[in-house]
Amino acid sequence: MTDDVIELILADHRLFEDLFRDLRDDTNDRAKVLAELSTRLVAHAEAEEAEVYPALRKFKKVDAEEVEHGAEEHAEGHQALLALMEIEDTSSEDWEDHLQKLVEAVNHHLDEEERTILNDARETVPDERRAELGTKFVEAREERIAAGCGDLDYVRELAERTEDRIDE
């Protein structure tokens, strides 16, 4: 298991993609998969914003505007996640439409983050510092998971709290 923050973030990104595939399959227990996605997605975003993004802003070759944009995209993802979680009928067309919006929002963010922030960090941030950030990222992520960050009430509160970050 690596402690490189970049590799840890990328592993989470691949997990999100796997969970999206599971959510698209209507033979799965979509409510259960959505609960796992919600927990993992919120914990990941909050750990990045608490531990990784502030540290990366200090490196001149990591674009601070891209880091701020990443936080805005987290807020958009929280909004899309909440909208999906509030639909009870996982077999409805409305649920499918909101799933698609969530997938698009998150995949857009993953793509941009990987191409900009993470590539810049890979080239700029020393291995030792990436390992330190990886440890902090995992600790923060696990703390958020243990606190139940994926439940509907918390996601609702998070979406409200971060709504002003969204650049419309």
Side-chain angles (χ1 to χ4, degrees), residues 36-124:
E36 181 179 354
L37 175 68
S38 176
T39 297
R40 292 293 185 168
L41 198 58
V42 170
H44 173 93
E46 289 189 322
E48 277 186 340
E49 289 180 30
E51 300 297 338
V52 180
Y53 284 5
L56 293 182
R57 283 186 183 102
K58 296 176 183 175
F59 288 88
K60 291 180 182 175
K61 292 189 178 183
V62 176
D63 189 333
E65 287 181 26
E66 284 296 334
V67 173
E68 184 58 35
H69 183 65
E72 291 169 7
E73 289 181 342
H74 285 166
E76 291 171 3
H78 300 324
Q79 296 289 330
L81 176 62
L82 175 61
L84 181 61
M85 291 175 75
E86 289 181 329
I87 300 170
E88 291 182 24
D89 183 358
T90 62
S91 64
S92 70
E93 192 167 318
D94 195 30
W95 196 90
E96 295 282 352
D97 291 344
H98 282 82
L99 172 60
Q100 185 58 33
K101 289 175 186 174
L102 175 61
V103 168
E104 288 172 5
V106 172
N107 282 342
H108 171 82
H109 169 67
L110 302 183
D111 177 59
E112 277 192 3
E113 185 176 70
E114 289 176 16
R115 285 184 299 107
T116 59
I117 298 168
L118 297 182
N119 278 339
D120 289 349
R122 184 177 279 119
E123 295 173 8
T124 305

